[in-house]
Amino acid sequence: MGGVILKKVLLLARQDPLYHHIAARIHSLFFLATPHRGADSVQLLSNVLKITVPVGSKAYVDSLIPNSDAIQVINDGFRHAYQGIQLWSFFETMPTSLGLIVEKDSAVLDLPGERVQLLNADHRNVCKFDDPSDSNYCTLRNAFISTIDSIESTWYSNKKANHHQEMRLLLTYLGLSHAPENDLANILEGRLEGSCQWLTECSSFIDWRSGLESHPKFFWLTGDPATGKSTLAGHVAKHLEQMNGDCASFFFKHHNTGRSTISDLLCSLAWQMASLNTGIRHSLLAMMNEDVALDRTDERSIWRAVFASRIFRVYLRRPLFWIIDGLDESNRSSSFFPLLARIDAQFPLLVFVTSRPLLAIERALAHERIPLCHEVISRDRSLGDIALYINSRAQFLPCESDCARERLVERILEKSNGNFLWTTLIVRELEEAMSEQRIEEILKSVPEEINELYARIFKQIMDSSKEAKLVATILRWIVCASRPLTVEELKEALRLEIEEVLPQLDKTVSTICGNLVYVDLQMRVCLAHQTVAEYLYREDIPSNVIIRRNEAHSQIAKVCLDYMQGDELKVSRHRRGSAFAKHRKRSAFSEYAIQHFSDHVARAFSSQDSLLMDLYGFLKSTSLVWLELVATTQDLSPLTATAKNLKLYLERRAKYQPPIGLHIHHISGWASDLVHLVAKYGRAMIATPSTISHLIPPICPKESSIYQAFYDFYPRGLRLIGLSQEQWDERLCCLDFSRVQALSVASRDNKYTLGLSSGIINIYTESSFQEQMKLKHGEPIRQLAFGNLSLYIASAGRKRISLWNTSSGIQLWTADLAALPMAIEFNEDDTVIMVATRANTLGFWAVNSGRELDMSQFSDINEDDQSEYHYNRPPIRIKFASNLSLLGVAYRQRPISLWDLDDNSFVGQYHKAGAVYPEPLIHDFIFNPNPEICLGAVTYETDVVVFDPFTQHTIADLRIQASSLAASPDGSILATGSGDGVIKIFEFETLKQIYQINSDQQDIRAMSFNSNNLRLFDLRANQFNVWEPSVLAYRSAAHDDSSLNISESINEGSEAVSNATIDEDLIITATATHHDPRYVFCGRENGTMAIYLSNTGQELQCLSDHGLNLAIIRMQWSENGSVLLAVDISGGYSVQKVIRDEHGSFQHSVILQKSGIQVQQVFLGPAADRLLVSTADNYELYDLGGALLAQEKATGLEAPGPWIQHPTKLDKLLMINGQHIRTFQWSNLQECLEPRTVQLLDVKTAMPPRLRAEATASGRNLCIYYAGDSSAGLAPSMRVFSMQSITSKADVINPAANFNDVAKDVKCIIGVHKSLLLYLSQQGWLCSINIDDISPEKFYTRHFFIPLQWHSNTDHLAMCVTSKGCVVLAVKNEIAIFHNGLTFEERVGCKGTMVSTRASMRSVMKRGTSEP
């Protein structure tokens, strides 16, 4: 009977969503003599139980009577529920004294896929066995093994596929070009078995490897160039892996893109750690899904976001090893050690580093007090491994006897001086010798110094004039390339430059270049050692060998630009869909040229006109295809790099040529365009690269280079009209607060938070500006602080401080404050919250419990005797610098007092240079957040000063007015905000101004940068603004590239941009379309209304004033009566007659107006002679004269929901009341008896705009959208119901289609155009769903992208669509009208998968709707 119960359990698990996860985990079911159809012996058992006094009859036994109702119900349900489960049925063959208990026909289910086997046993013994050789035991064991094998093969296969997919996603997210394990494989390829053993057998290494607390966790191996450090590092990694250790490795390569910065190191290590550990992988995937942006130019930001906040919080069961080779070849090796010093001693991480013996690294280790094991690669240690190498090649040396070969080996070893590279080159040369005499000549002539050896090799290979050009070209490409070129890339580059084809370059390139280059396992051509490049850059070598950087980069840049203007990147103006749908196969050189051409432009001769013309020609011709190809890689960093490189090129050129002319202007415009494209449209470009050519140029500002070159590139493509903006707007978002004021702002990762005067904390997603959650602090929030490592945020008002989890929205604890808090901050490891108050107190609270740990006092200090200064006024500014362990306190007209946070001791005072008592008033001051830049900044009434807080010396001083300050997290930028609304951006250390933003909104009170240094937030008046100045992208750390080695000095001037002045009273708050698609109605913030032309976007004529000076929030036009309805924010409404005369003017007059009514919905009847007014308690019907025609009380427990016109019956209207839909008469507002009230399953109760109902023009289907309620835990939903079902006699209607996956992404429902429900997605895509054509494979269609800043500053978007399919969006005091937008289609599955293989442009081809 147990098997029958098991089937019932499966049925219940399938039916109840709470237990779906249990049903999903069932792979196989084994039934041993189970009476699926009952058993004849049950009747006998029932009779026996009846006469057994202690037991009595059992009801469940009767259920096993053959073909009982209970058995049949379970069997009928099971045949529909077992799909996907493997069934095994075993039947008994031997009778008991009562016969067979369960017959075969009852023990077998007879279901498809069922496996049936017999057991040589009676019912009592089907699961009892004599020994492992029992045939029944073997039968069952084999069945179990078969199932386990099936589970393992399926599980491991799926797990492996999922792992690969997740790692591919992280590879892109972390910005890695290839899997890091390839580098280790290349290193190990040349290692000989038995070499490098001296290191892993060294006692200090063994102690380090043990990971015991008594031994250092950092191992530093130093050695001179070419002594085998990389091979030793590879050996260590292999050794640890063989010992079953988790090991992540990284090999630095100087000036090699992706392998030369500390950020490259950290991203690579993070990826490898994610591959090794499931917990780390899931943590990083969650970070990626949360859209946390990584600033790869700032290693501190990556360390905090990826390691401190994520990886180091994952529990590891065993030690993890980092193997880092060539740290001295990184751009800023010293920045690694402060990060390393912050690792918790309890985290099981062991670090192995190799480098040259640099004093800078030694000092950095000492400064950070990092305990270490240090070993040196001495000459004696190297000789043993060199001897192994020479002996391994000895058989190839041309010697007549073994004795002669041994003597030769000893001579080579003696001359090697412990240098592996020298040995390798000499052995290869000796192997090519044909006689002992030639061997002797080589040994006598070869120099022992590596540079002299290089000179000898180059003399030999350059003596042949025929090969000299080829060798010089190969070496130029290898040395100057931004990354190692593959053999195929180099082969194609040679063909393009010198028109030579080398068919077996992988086999010949090493010989051609005198063994100074080699081909690795990934078929990349690499230098034998970094010292080869160093030699070729020297000025004292022969002219036919030397590589002059500017000249070399000029030639490479020309080859790249010529290629990108060639046929491979050209595209037809009438192409259909994607750039990749139909194109000729691109060469192997394509990827390199597309990714890195600008690196060479930046380093080329800037005075040459030929390069300028090539660059201009490329940007005017094939640059759109280049954008698409870059976006296809899912990494837009090459675009930002190109922008910086173009800017650098033009700045250098300005030293020789005046920066004027068409070509200069166009290239300069592209430098600006690229940065703004990434900032504003980057997500859209990555989502659908094929749309870039069609959809991006038309929505760019009219004066941008990309717009001027390509806005009309495609006939009848997307057109945007109506906006006056001609230049890029640096402001991405503006939030207006009319009734409350934003008092504080904080940012971390992909979140920014506002503290409001109402006591509410609003948390927004930075990528989409979408409100994520609201937290109720309960009093005006004057201070906010994010945790450095955790998901916590602290908020403080006048009376208390609270700690919140920003992931769940839960308040963890709250504590009372005795005085007004003026600064709050977490300590570096997020274990303590520090609060400094107006009462000169400094409090410490435990993050995990909210317990007050300590309270100390600070005060102003007398400058003369360092005693407490009895100063009656409270401080005016307090700032923390936890990274410097400092607290700064400013009093009115007093110097800044500095205190040590560790022991509460007085550090000193900063006096403004030249100031006398009383000192000038301090408006604001800050500390630099980068611990490597120990500086502070303070703004006085007339100037801004940068100072050293430890020496109290002035570093820089500038006379400007500023009321607030902010520093970028990397410490490179200082931003000032003034009372007149001007933002100025400076280099922090020098106060050199580099940018300025002018705005009409004044009174900047607070400023803050986001985590990746690219965005700036400010609070002013009643606004919160998000700025993304392009200069911040230009100024990233990648700009400071020492590989440029450019002699020309660059004079960077300050740029200034202005924000247009807007009359807030004229902001458009509602739109509606006229039946003539040439006209659009607009309602404004001040209650006025106007008619706009859809073909120009300009105002045509003002209409009658609404008269209430309140914002219009909804408008409705009725063609039948030429009537316009307008509803304002207070619930008042007006109706006016609008008639177009024969001269084209509109005559208008108000015919009805009411105010002071708290209406929920107002709309006109189809004949424009009735007006429905719905309130919370009533629904009323008026004529247009204002006479009440009917009134009904809201009935039932549910309040009236949204009303809509009946799609097919003009005399009726529908109301969605809770989960019901009801039908009413327009004539008297009486509810119709036929059809009856119908229950709609899965529909939530709400009012517009949270609940929207839209029907198509055909009236076939009705779509109901619910926006969700995060505070109540209700998710958004979208369901389509058949109108035929609604008008039937059914009591309950199931939805015909469910689009809940789409609903989560809806930002605004626009309306219906023909059969399409149009909506705006959270990411800014204008999308549609054909709700009249519900196919089994549900999908939505993406049409075009609307920049986020045009729809980020309001919860209520004013959008509509005309009868011609033009989409109208109100943008501040203008309207943006998108023509031909719906003709572009790209189908996407509701789960996010692409349905169409390419996008289609219907209007271009004139073939109707394009199918995949």
Side-chain angles (χ1 to χ4, degrees), residues 738-768:
S738 55
R739 295 181 178 85
V740 297
Q741 190 176 47
L743 301 178
S744 51
V745 58
S747 169
R748 180 72 76 213
D749 296 333
N750 189 39
K751 296 182 175 71
Y752 65 87
T753 303
L754 297 180
L756 307 181
S757 59
S758 61
I760 299 296
I761 304 171
N762 284 353
I763 300 180
Y764 300 86
T765 302
E766 189 180 313
S767 56
S768 64

mmCIF file of all heavy atoms in Angstrom, residues 738-768:
data_model
loop_
_atom_site.group_PDB
_atom_site.id
_atom_site.type_symbol
_atom_site.label_atom_id
_atom_site.label_comp_id
_atom_site.label_asym_id
_atom_site.label_seq_id
_atom_site.Cartn_x
_atom_site.Cartn_y
_atom_site.Cartn_z
ATOM 1 N N SER A 738 7.903 68.363 -4.318
ATOM 2 C CA SER A 738 7.098 69.574 -4.142
ATOM 3 C C SER A 738 6.712 69.789 -2.683
ATOM 4 O O SER A 738 6.710 70.920 -2.192
ATOM 5 C CB SER A 738 5.839 69.498 -5.007
ATOM 6 O OG SER A 738 5.110 68.312 -4.721
ATOM 7 N N ARG A 739 6.390 68.714 -1.964
ATOM 8 C CA ARG A 739 5.873 68.865 -0.598
ATOM 9 C C ARG A 739 6.932 68.509 0.465
ATOM 10 O O ARG A 739 6.716 68.750 1.636
ATOM 11 C CB ARG A 739 4.642 67.979 -0.402
ATOM 12 C CG ARG A 739 3.469 68.392 -1.275
ATOM 13 C CD ARG A 739 2.265 67.489 -1.021
ATOM 14 N NE ARG A 739 1.121 67.901 -1.810
ATOM 15 C CZ ARG A 739 0.909 67.529 -3.062
ATOM 16 N NH1 ARG A 739 1.774 66.734 -3.659
ATOM 17 N NH2 ARG A 739 -0.157 67.937 -3.729
ATOM 18 N N VAL A 740 7.993 67.878 0.070
ATOM 19 C CA VAL A 740 9.049 67.517 1.020
ATOM 20 C C VAL A 740 10.378 67.988 0.462
ATOM 21 O O VAL A 740 10.469 68.420 -0.689
ATOM 22 C CB VAL A 740 9.097 65.990 1.265
ATOM 23 C CG1 VAL A 740 7.814 65.502 1.900
ATOM 24 C CG2 VAL A 740 9.369 65.251 -0.040
ATOM 25 N N GLN A 741 11.402 67.894 1.271
ATOM 26 C CA GLN A 741 12.732 68.314 0.851
ATOM 27 C C GLN A 741 13.714 67.179 1.096
ATOM 28 O O GLN A 741 13.644 66.494 2.114
ATOM 29 C CB GLN A 741 13.166 69.561 1.632
ATOM 30 C CG GLN A 741 14.438 70.201 1.094
ATOM 31 C CD GLN A 741 14.772 71.479 1.845
ATOM 32 O OE1 GLN A 741 14.747 71.512 3.072
ATOM 33 N NE2 GLN A 741 15.071 72.534 1.119
ATOM 34 N N ALA A 742 14.601 66.959 0.128
ATOM 35 C CA ALA A 742 15.659 65.973 0.297
ATOM 36 C C ALA A 742 16.760 66.612 1.141
ATOM 37 O O ALA A 742 17.314 67.651 0.772
ATOM 38 C CB ALA A 742 16.196 65.521 -1.051
ATOM 39 N N LEU A 743 17.096 65.987 2.270
ATOM 40 C CA LEU A 743 18.063 66.556 3.205
ATOM 41 C C LEU A 743 19.426 65.894 3.115
ATOM 42 O O LEU A 743 20.432 66.502 3.476
ATOM 43 C CB LEU A 743 17.545 66.424 4.643
ATOM 44 C CG LEU A 743 16.203 67.092 4.955
ATOM 45 C CD1 LEU A 743 15.819 66.823 6.406
ATOM 46 C CD2 LEU A 743 16.270 68.585 4.679
ATOM 47 N N SER A 744 19.485 64.641 2.656
ATOM 48 C CA SER A 744 20.754 63.916 2.632
ATOM 49 C C SER A 744 20.759 62.936 1.473
ATOM 50 O O SER A 744 19.703 62.497 1.004
ATOM 51 C CB SER A 744 20.983 63.180 3.956
ATOM 52 O OG SER A 744 19.856 62.397 4.300
ATOM 53 N N VAL A 745 21.959 62.582 1.021
ATOM 54 C CA VAL A 745 22.121 61.659 -0.096
ATOM 55 C C VAL A 745 23.337 60.788 0.166
ATOM 56 O O VAL A 745 24.334 61.240 0.740
ATOM 57 C CB VAL A 745 22.267 62.418 -1.437
ATOM 58 C CG1 VAL A 745 23.446 63.379 -1.401
ATOM 59 C CG2 VAL A 745 22.415 61.446 -2.607
ATOM 60 N N ALA A 746 23.245 59.524 -0.221
ATOM 61 C CA ALA A 746 24.372 58.594 -0.113
ATOM 62 C C ALA A 746 24.286 57.619 -1.270
ATOM 63 O O ALA A 746 23.202 57.359 -1.809
ATOM 64 C CB ALA A 746 24.349 57.844 1.217
ATOM 65 N N SER A 747 25.441 57.071 -1.668
ATOM 66 C CA SER A 747 25.495 56.170 -2.814
ATOM 67 C C SER A 747 26.447 55.029 -2.522
ATOM 68 O O SER A 747 27.475 55.206 -1.873
ATOM 69 C CB SER A 747 25.951 56.937 -4.064
ATOM 70 O OG SER A 747 26.240 56.045 -5.121
ATOM 71 N N ARG A 748 26.102 53.849 -3.045
ATOM 72 C CA ARG A 748 26.986 52.702 -2.942
ATOM 73 C C ARG A 748 26.594 51.686 -4.005
ATOM 74 O O ARG A 748 25.413 51.386 -4.174
ATOM 75 C CB ARG A 748 26.906 52.058 -1.561
ATOM 76 C CG ARG A 748 27.803 50.846 -1.376
ATOM 77 C CD ARG A 748 29.283 51.266 -1.292
ATOM 78 N NE ARG A 748 29.574 51.828 0.000
ATOM 79 C CZ ARG A 748 30.461 52.795 0.204
ATOM 80 N NH1 ARG A 748 31.110 53.305 -0.808
ATOM 81 N NH2 ARG A 748 30.699 53.250 1.419
ATOM 82 N N ASP A 749 27.586 51.203 -4.746
ATOM 83 C CA ASP A 749 27.375 50.211 -5.792
ATOM 84 C C ASP A 749 26.298 50.713 -6.760
ATOM 85 O O ASP A 749 26.419 51.790 -7.307
ATOM 86 C CB ASP A 749 27.019 48.854 -5.190
ATOM 87 C CG ASP A 749 28.170 48.296 -4.352
ATOM 88 O OD1 ASP A 749 29.323 48.657 -4.637
ATOM 89 O OD2 ASP A 749 27.915 47.515 -3.429
ATOM 90 N N ASN A 750 25.211 49.962 -6.929
ATOM 91 C CA ASN A 750 24.188 50.367 -7.890
ATOM 92 C C ASN A 750 22.988 51.010 -7.211
ATOM 93 O O ASN A 750 21.913 51.060 -7.771
ATOM 94 C CB ASN A 750 23.726 49.142 -8.708
ATOM 95 C CG ASN A 750 22.835 49.527 -9.869
ATOM 96 O OD1 ASN A 750 23.077 50.534 -10.532
ATOM 97 N ND2 ASN A 750 21.806 48.754 -10.118
ATOM 98 N N LYS A 751 23.177 51.533 -6.014
ATOM 99 C CA LYS A 751 22.073 52.156 -5.293
ATOM 100 C C LYS A 751 22.444 53.585 -4.901
ATOM 101 O O LYS A 751 23.602 53.884 -4.629
ATOM 102 C CB LYS A 751 21.731 51.374 -4.014
ATOM 103 C CG LYS A 751 21.213 49.965 -4.222
ATOM 104 C CD LYS A 751 20.884 49.341 -2.877
ATOM 105 C CE LYS A 751 20.238 47.969 -3.033
ATOM 106 N NZ LYS A 751 21.194 46.966 -3.500
ATOM 107 N N TYR A 752 21.450 54.449 -4.917
ATOM 108 C CA TYR A 752 21.604 55.736 -4.254
ATOM 109 C C TYR A 752 20.363 55.974 -3.404
ATOM 110 O O TYR A 752 19.271 55.482 -3.705
ATOM 111 C CB TYR A 752 21.866 56.884 -5.235
ATOM 112 C CG TYR A 752 20.745 57.207 -6.191
ATOM 113 C CD1 TYR A 752 19.727 58.094 -5.822
ATOM 114 C CD2 TYR A 752 20.707 56.672 -7.467
ATOM 115 C CE1 TYR A 752 18.711 58.417 -6.698
ATOM 116 C CE2 TYR A 752 19.697 56.988 -8.356
ATOM 117 C CZ TYR A 752 18.708 57.857 -7.969
ATOM 118 O OH TYR A 752 17.697 58.177 -8.835
ATOM 119 N N THR A 753 20.556 56.707 -2.330
ATOM 120 C CA THR A 753 19.531 56.838 -1.306
ATOM 121 C C THR A 753 19.336 58.301 -0.952
ATOM 122 O O THR A 753 20.304 59.056 -0.827
ATOM 123 C CB THR A 753 19.938 56.054 -0.043
ATOM 124 O OG1 THR A 753 20.153 54.698 -0.400
ATOM 125 C CG2 THR A 753 18.872 56.127 1.013
ATOM 126 N N LEU A 754 18.074 58.691 -0.777
ATOM 127 C CA LEU A 754 17.736 60.056 -0.376
ATOM 128 C C LEU A 754 17.033 60.018 0.974
ATOM 129 O O LEU A 754 16.112 59.223 1.190
ATOM 130 C CB LEU A 754 16.815 60.704 -1.417
ATOM 131 C CG LEU A 754 17.386 60.903 -2.825
ATOM 132 C CD1 LEU A 754 16.339 61.545 -3.724
ATOM 133 C CD2 LEU A 754 18.637 61.742 -2.790
ATOM 134 N N GLY A 755 17.463 60.887 1.886
ATOM 135 C CA GLY A 755 16.781 61.063 3.158
ATOM 136 C C GLY A 755 15.903 62.300 3.088
ATOM 137 O O GLY A 755 16.379 63.395 2.786
ATOM 138 N N LEU A 756 14.617 62.145 3.321
ATOM 139 C CA LEU A 756 13.646 63.223 3.126
ATOM 140 C C LEU A 756 13.223 63.838 4.457
ATOM 141 O O LEU A 756 13.323 63.213 5.521
ATOM 142 C CB LEU A 756 12.416 62.699 2.381
ATOM 143 C CG LEU A 756 12.681 61.970 1.049
ATOM 144 C CD1 LEU A 756 11.367 61.528 0.426
ATOM 145 C CD2 LEU A 756 13.466 62.841 0.095
ATOM 146 N N SER A 757 12.712 65.047 4.358
ATOM 147 C CA SER A 757 12.227 65.747 5.545
ATOM 148 C C SER A 757 10.988 65.085 6.121
ATOM 149 O O SER A 757 10.630 65.322 7.279
ATOM 150 C CB SER A 757 11.928 67.205 5.201
ATOM 151 O OG SER A 757 10.949 67.282 4.166
ATOM 152 N N SER A 758 10.321 64.258 5.345
ATOM 153 C CA SER A 758 9.135 63.545 5.819
ATOM 154 C C SER A 758 9.478 62.319 6.656
ATOM 155 O O SER A 758 8.580 61.639 7.154
ATOM 156 C CB SER A 758 8.290 63.099 4.618
ATOM 157 O OG SER A 758 9.028 62.225 3.784
ATOM 158 N N GLY A 759 10.774 62.008 6.785
ATOM 159 C CA GLY A 759 11.180 60.832 7.544
ATOM 160 C C GLY A 759 11.258 59.576 6.719
ATOM 161 O O GLY A 759 11.477 58.490 7.249
ATOM 162 N N ILE A 760 11.101 59.701 5.399
ATOM 163 C CA ILE A 760 11.152 58.556 4.497
ATOM 164 C C ILE A 760 12.537 58.475 3.855
ATOM 165 O O ILE A 760 13.128 59.486 3.476
ATOM 166 C CB ILE A 760 10.077 58.664 3.397
ATOM 167 C CG1 ILE A 760 8.676 58.690 4.032
ATOM 168 C CG2 ILE A 760 10.190 57.512 2.406
ATOM 169 C CD1 ILE A 760 8.317 57.415 4.760
ATOM 170 N N ILE A 761 13.039 57.262 3.734
ATOM 171 C CA ILE A 761 14.277 57.008 2.998
ATOM 172 C C ILE A 761 13.891 56.355 1.682
ATOM 173 O O ILE A 761 13.288 55.271 1.677
ATOM 174 C CB ILE A 761 15.224 56.078 3.781
ATOM 175 C CG1 ILE A 761 15.524 56.651 5.158
ATOM 176 C CG2 ILE A 761 16.511 55.836 3.001
ATOM 177 C CD1 ILE A 761 16.272 55.684 6.057
ATOM 178 N N ASN A 762 14.204 57.004 0.582
ATOM 179 C CA ASN A 762 13.944 56.428 -0.740
ATOM 180 C C ASN A 762 15.232 55.814 -1.277
ATOM 181 O O ASN A 762 16.257 56.492 -1.352
ATOM 182 C CB ASN A 762 13.460 57.498 -1.723
ATOM 183 C CG ASN A 762 12.017 57.885 -1.471
ATOM 184 O OD1 ASN A 762 11.338 57.275 -0.662
ATOM 185 N ND2 ASN A 762 11.554 58.900 -2.165
ATOM 186 N N ILE A 763 15.174 54.539 -1.662
ATOM 187 C CA ILE A 763 16.328 53.855 -2.247
ATOM 188 C C ILE A 763 16.028 53.607 -3.722
ATOM 189 O O ILE A 763 14.986 53.037 -4.066
ATOM 190 C CB ILE A 763 16.627 52.542 -1.521
ATOM 191 C CG1 ILE A 763 16.931 52.822 -0.044
ATOM 192 C CG2 ILE A 763 17.801 51.813 -2.164
ATOM 193 C CD1 ILE A 763 17.245 51.585 0.769
ATOM 194 N N TYR A 764 16.943 54.039 -4.586
ATOM 195 C CA TYR A 764 16.752 53.947 -6.032
ATOM 196 C C TYR A 764 17.835 53.059 -6.643
ATOM 197 O O TYR A 764 18.952 52.947 -6.120
ATOM 198 C CB TYR A 764 16.833 55.322 -6.689
ATOM 199 C CG TYR A 764 15.804 56.314 -6.205
ATOM 200 C CD1 TYR A 764 16.035 57.087 -5.075
ATOM 201 C CD2 TYR A 764 14.597 56.480 -6.874
ATOM 202 C CE1 TYR A 764 15.105 58.006 -4.626
ATOM 203 C CE2 TYR A 764 13.656 57.392 -6.436
ATOM 204 C CZ TYR A 764 13.908 58.152 -5.311
ATOM 205 O OH TYR A 764 12.983 59.059 -4.862
ATOM 206 N N THR A 765 17.486 52.441 -7.774
ATOM 207 C CA THR A 765 18.468 51.723 -8.572
ATOM 208 C C THR A 765 19.146 52.705 -9.504
ATOM 209 O O THR A 765 18.487 53.389 -10.292
ATOM 210 C CB THR A 765 17.796 50.611 -9.394
ATOM 211 O OG1 THR A 765 17.132 49.716 -8.508
ATOM 212 C CG2 THR A 765 18.816 49.839 -10.197
ATOM 213 N N GLU A 766 20.460 52.789 -9.432
ATOM 214 C CA GLU A 766 21.167 53.824 -10.176
ATOM 215 C C GLU A 766 21.101 53.608 -11.684
ATOM 216 O O GLU A 766 21.089 54.558 -12.455
ATOM 217 C CB GLU A 766 22.635 53.865 -9.731
ATOM 218 C CG GLU A 766 23.396 55.053 -10.283
ATOM 219 C CD GLU A 766 24.831 55.060 -9.838
ATOM 220 O OE1 GLU A 766 25.080 54.853 -8.640
ATOM 221 O OE2 GLU A 766 25.703 55.262 -10.690
ATOM 222 N N SER A 767 21.055 52.353 -12.117
ATOM 223 C CA SER A 767 21.074 52.095 -13.548
ATOM 224 C C SER A 767 19.790 52.513 -14.238
ATOM 225 O O SER A 767 19.798 52.917 -15.399
ATOM 226 C CB SER A 767 21.334 50.610 -13.810
ATOM 227 O OG SER A 767 20.368 49.817 -13.138
ATOM 228 N N SER A 768 18.655 52.438 -13.532
ATOM 229 C CA SER A 768 17.376 52.776 -14.162
ATOM 230 C C SER A 768 16.644 53.905 -13.448
ATOM 231 O O SER A 768 15.584 54.318 -13.904
ATOM 232 C CB SER A 768 16.462 51.548 -14.182
ATOM 233 O OG SER A 768 16.146 51.143 -12.864
#
